[in-house]
Structures are given as structure tokens and as C-alpha cells.
């Protein structure tokens, strides 16, 4: 008698491979389920947010700040066209994304900069010196 470990997901994976065996999911999944990867870091004078946006044009990226929340959003589209002698095929897919970040109180919102280069969006949020809100009131 041969013992095997029960895998509850085996039947599901078998069904999935039968249903999708003729489709190239690598391209479709990367476009339809688009969630960009983000790296954040704090420097001495600024906070930095780097967003990996391959295939996204600068014109399709939007960066907004409202109520100390930085929102990076956009859309990328993918179009594959194949022309052969006996057939013509076009596949179009797109993906929208939104990422939000709470900005600390010690930032200069008016001077935030965003730059896109080679599929990487870099957002620089300058720091400011904290304002001393303590006030002495003379007693009369």
C-alpha cells in the first residue's frame, strides 16, 4: 500500500490547467491585475516613493495630494496585433491602478516633485522643520 499526502487544491489546479491551457496568462495577468510595486524610503531632507510602472506613459500617471494623503493613479494599456497570411488577430487589455500614502505632518506639500524615467516614477516629498506651536501668554 502506497501512502500519499492529500492535497485539497490539486483538483482545482487540474481544472484550471485544462481551462486555460491554450491561453498565455503571463501577459494577460500582468496587464489585467496591475498593482505596481512600491519602495519607500526616508532621507535626511525628504521622503522618497519609487513606483515600478513598466509600460505606463508619463501622460497616463496622476499624482494628487488631498488631506495629507498622496494618491498615485493611472492606467496602462496593452495591445497585441498579429497579421499573418491567413488570419488577423488583435488582443487588447488594460489595467488601472491606484496607490495611496499618508504623508507625515513635517512635509512641504507645496514642493512635492514627481519624475518618471524608464518605467520608474519617483516622488520626492521634502521635509520641513516642525513649527513650534507653543506660545507664551502673559497674565494681566
Amino acid at each position: 500500500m502506497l501512502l500519499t499526502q492529500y492535497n485539497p487544491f490539486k483538483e482545482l489546479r487540474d481544472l484550471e490547467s485544462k481551462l486555460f491551457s491554450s491561453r498565455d496568462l503571463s501577459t494577460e495577468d500582468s496587464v489585467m491585475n496591475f498593482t505596481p510595486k512600491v519602495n519607500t524610503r526616508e532621507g535626511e531632507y525628504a521622503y522618497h516613493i519609487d513606483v515600478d510602472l513598466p509600460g505606463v506613459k508619463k501622460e497616463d500617471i496622476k499624482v494628487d495630494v488631498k488631506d495629507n494623503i498622496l494618491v498615485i493613479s493611472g492606467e496602462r494599456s496593452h495591445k497585441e496585433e498579429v497579421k499573418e497570411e491567413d488570419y488577423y488577430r488583435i488582443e487588447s487589455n488594460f489595467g488601472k491602478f491606484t496607490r495611496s500614502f499618508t504623508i507625515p505632518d513635517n512635509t512641504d506639500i507645496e514642493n512635492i516633485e514627481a519624475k518618471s524615467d524608464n518605467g520608474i516614477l519617483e516622488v520626492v516629498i521634502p521635509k520641513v522643520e516642525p513649527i513650534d506651536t507653543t506660545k507664551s501668554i502673559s497674565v494681566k
Side-chain angles (χ1 to χ4, degrees):
M1 175 191 235
L2 182 62
L3 293 176
T4 59
Q5 185 175 3
Y6 175 70
N7 184 347
F9 299 107
K10 181 182 182 321
E11 291 178 32
L12 185 61
R13 273 194 239 112
D14 290 344
L15 178 63
E16 183 179 47
S17 67
K18 288 176 187 174
L19 290 174
F20 300 113
S21 62
S22 64
R23 294 170 60 192
D24 179 17
L25 291 178
S26 62
T27 303
E28 185 177 0
D29 282 347
S30 66
V31 175
M32 297 302 286
N33 300 323
F34 183 45
T35 304
K37 300 206 182 318
V38 174
N39 290 319
T40 59
R41 66 185 190 283
E42 181 179 357
E44 187 175 344
Y45 302 107
Y47 297 98
H48 301 267
I49 300 173
D50 298 324
V51 186
D52 189 20
L53 297 172
V56 180
K57 300 175 194 164
K58 287 183 204 180
E59 303 83 38
D60 296 333
I61 302 170
K62 187 176 177 185
V63 180
D64 295 312
V65 177
K66 183 177 180 183
D67 299 329
N68 275 6
I69 296 179
L70 177 82
V71 178
I72 301 170
S73 59
E75 182 176 331
R76 87 171 168 183
S77 58
H78 172 75
K79 184 175 183 178
E80 182 181 348
E81 186 173 347
V82 177
K83 291 181 181 181
E84 295 291 330
E85 187 176 307
D86 56 343
Y87 71 92
Y88 179 68
R89 180 186 74 177
I90 297 177
E91 290 186 17
S92 299
N93 296 304
F94 68 94
K96 293 183 179 184
F97 67 91
T98 301
R99 298 293 304 259
S100 301
F101 305 90
T102 302
I103 299 176
D105 291 332
N106 67 335
T107 57
D108 184 3
I109 293 176
E110 297 299 320
N111 292 311
I112 294 175
E113 295 180 357
K115 178 178 75 170
S116 180
D117 188 31
N118 291 327
I120 303 291
L121 174 69
E122 181 183 15
V123 180
V124 179
I125 307 164
K127 292 181 181 180
V128 294
E129 292 295 321
I131 299 172
D132 187 12
T133 56
T134 305
K135 180 180 177 183
S136 294
I137 301 170
S138 62
V139 179
K140 296 181 184 178

